[in-house]
Amino acid sequence: MSAIPFARPSIGEDEIAAVGDVLRSGWLTTGKQALAFETEFATALGVPHALAVNSATAGLHLALEAVGVVPGDYVIVPSLTFTATAEVVRYLGAEVAFADVGTSSLLIDPESVAQLAAAIRRAQRRLAAIIPVHLAGEPCDMDALGLIAAEHNAALIEDAAHAFPASCGDRPVGTIGDIGVFSFYANKTITTGEGGMVVTRHEGYARRMATMRSHGIDRQAWHRYTEAGTNSPASARPHWYYQVVAPGFKYNLADTAAAIGRVQLKRAEKLRETRTELAERYLRYLAPLEEAGLVVLPDSAPGHAWHLFVLRLNPAALTITRDRFIEELQKRGIGTSVHYIPLHHMPYWRGRYFTPEDSAGRPGIAVPLSNTDNRFEEIVSIPLYPDLSAADQDRVITAVTDLLGAHRGG
């Protein structure tokens, strides 16, 4: 019996053909495909500005730089996230303050954020930004977070790496804060292999990010070469001429990747519908486990993108640990993952912000992270992707049901 992977991209002949067209075109780097992808993505979300980048990490870095994060500032992020959300803060010499998740969710807790913001203010430091993470594709409480950001004059930057196309009511996730950042990594809801997109309604932020994305150069290579001989103002300069106006980065997205993204974008709603159907099937067939108190199932919230399906095991009701549960699923050929190991458990972050020396003047400003600690011991992500067959999903459901049923606490 073949193994069931934890994740698998949904790639068809249209994506393959699109890449072939780019390879035959002779222009492989950022060009008309990337520009078209930006336009189409912006239209899909109803925002004026979208910038294609080579990773969501790059997008988060550009976003923080654009809103003016500088050394000594603080940025609030959840501890239950991938390290990229926090590491970009350190790129700019700023400090991280880790927020807890809620008592009944895996999402950043606005009350914890408010406590951190107040502590930063008491320390007479500047809270420059808050980065909520729409974990697994479930939208955060953006209204509550927006009020906190406004009170402290902080930017609100959405880490929407898991959340295309999620929504909060009629507001697409990623468009609610000042800047939104999406991921197109291989296992995301749409993919370009590697890549991402930054969206904003703020023209000044968009201009700054566009410049810093490409070495701080004032004209992209595609524009320099295609404007030559036209009547545009830029064509008065020779195609080889450009100016470096800032010490920028190398964060542009290649046309080969953008061509895949354009096809995936056209399929995005269908892919979401399929993930939703799979998630609802999990919820329906695993409901007896929740009724028995063995697991907590994710909320089927309106607007959920269903990038991940995360089970929470109830350790008080089971004789099997989360780690052993994962091992047993692996023996049955079922892939899993954990989203995530909390950052305050990691050597770098723990050493910088959570050692006794903090009280002796280190930069850490901390609140209790007990909910995060408890959730980490419980969570496991099971397979959820559009090409997951009904038969394979049945295998997952049966394995989960049998394992947990056999390990009920006495």
Side-chain angles (χ1 to χ4, degrees), residues 142-171:
M142 293 302 295
D143 290 335
L145 294 169
L147 290 174
I148 299 168
E151 178 185 352
H152 293 267
N153 196 29
L156 189 58
I157 297 172
E158 297 178 70
D159 183 335
H162 293 185
F164 181 77
S167 60
C168 296
D170 59 355
R171 300 174 297 173

Side-chain angles (χ1 to χ4, degrees), residues 338-374:
V338 174
H339 295 89
Y340 289 95
I341 304 172
L343 293 183
H344 70 279
H345 291 196
M346 297 292 184
Y348 172 78
W349 300 111
R350 184 178 65 244
R352 185 171 183 85
Y353 296 114
F354 296 94
T355 60
E357 288 79 7
D358 288 348
S359 61
R362 290 175 66 90
I365 290 177
V367 295
L369 298 170
S370 54
N371 290 336
T372 299
D373 288 331
N374 291 336

Side-chain angles (χ1 to χ4, degrees), residues 61-371:
H61 186 197
L62 289 171
L64 289 177
E65 200 277 341
V67 302
V69 174
V70 297
D73 285 347
Y74 274 81
V75 176
I76 296 175
V77 308
S79 180
L80 195 67
T81 186
F82 186 58
T83 191
T85 312
E87 72 186 28
V88 292
V89 178
R90 298 294 300 131
Y91 292 175
L92 295 164
E95 305 295 346
V96 176
F98 288 110
D100 204 4
V101 298
T103 56
S104 60
S105 82
L106 302 178
L107 303 177
I108 193 169
D109 178 25
E111 182 177 344
S112 180
V113 172
Q115 291 172 359
L116 284 169
I120 292 165
R121 176 176 282 173
R122 286 194 301 270
Q124 298 184 326
R125 305 295 289 272
R126 186 173 85 108
L127 174 59
I130 301 167
I131 308 180
V133 177
H134 302 289
L135 189 70
E138 182 179 0
C140 295
D141 186 345
M142 293 302 295
D143 290 335
L145 294 169
L147 290 174
I148 299 168
E151 178 185 352
H152 293 267
N153 196 29
L156 189 58
I157 297 172
E158 297 178 70
D159 183 335
H162 293 185
F164 181 77
S167 60
C168 296
D170 59 355
R171 300 174 297 173
V173 161
T175 71
I176 303 167
D178 296 287
I179 299 174
V181 183
F182 296 88
S183 174
F184 305 140
Y185 182 65
N187 67 351
K188 294 302 191 293
T189 56
I190 67 171
T191 186
T192 59
E194 296 277 1
M197 191 76 74
V198 186
V199 301
T200 184
R201 301 183 188 279
H202 192 289
E203 184 175 351
Y205 293 160
R207 284 200 305 268
R208 178 66 178 182
M209 291 188 291
T211 297
M212 296 302 285
R213 174 180 58 176
S214 299
H215 300 290
I217 291 173
D218 65 344
R219 296 172 72 197
Q220 293 184 37
W222 173 258
H223 289 148
R224 296 203 311 268
Y225 283 87
T226 58
E227 285 166 353
T230 72
N231 292 322
S232 70
S235 69
R237 295 179 288 177
H239 68 267
W240 50 264
Y241 183 82
Y242 60 87
Q243 291 188 316
V244 176
V245 297
F249 316 109
K250 176 62 173 172
Y251 285 164
N252 56 299
L253 185 71
D255 262 16
T256 44
I260 299 172
R262 294 184 68 194
V263 178
Q264 290 268 297
L265 182 60
K266 293 175 183 176
R267 300 176 58 203
E269 187 55 33
K270 178 60 178 175
L271 294 172
R272 186 196 65 79
E273 289 174 0
T274 303
R275 290 193 308 274
T276 300
E277 291 169 1
L278 290 166
E280 289 176 347
R281 195 162 184 265
Y282 272 141
L283 292 170
R284 183 165 65 253
Y285 284 99
L286 296 177
L289 296 177
E290 185 167 50
E291 292 163 4
L294 304 181
V295 297
V296 176
L297 299 176
D299 289 334
S300 184
H304 203 308
W306 289 114
H307 168 51
L308 302 173
F309 194 94
V310 184
L311 294 175
R312 284 173 49 198
L313 308 190
N314 181 359
L318 294 167
T319 61
I320 188 172
T321 65
R322 187 274 314 277
D323 293 357
R324 178 68 185 280
F325 177 73
I326 289 173
E327 291 171 5
E328 291 298 324
L329 287 179
Q330 186 175 9
K331 290 177 184 177
R332 290 160 173 76
I334 296 170
T336 60
S337 191
V338 174
H339 295 89
Y340 289 95
I341 304 172
L343 293 183
H344 70 279
H345 291 196
M346 297 292 184
Y348 172 78
W349 300 111
R350 184 178 65 244
R352 185 171 183 85
Y353 296 114
F354 296 94
T355 60
E357 288 79 7
D358 288 348
S359 61
R362 290 175 66 90
I365 290 177
V367 295
L369 298 170
S370 54
N371 290 336

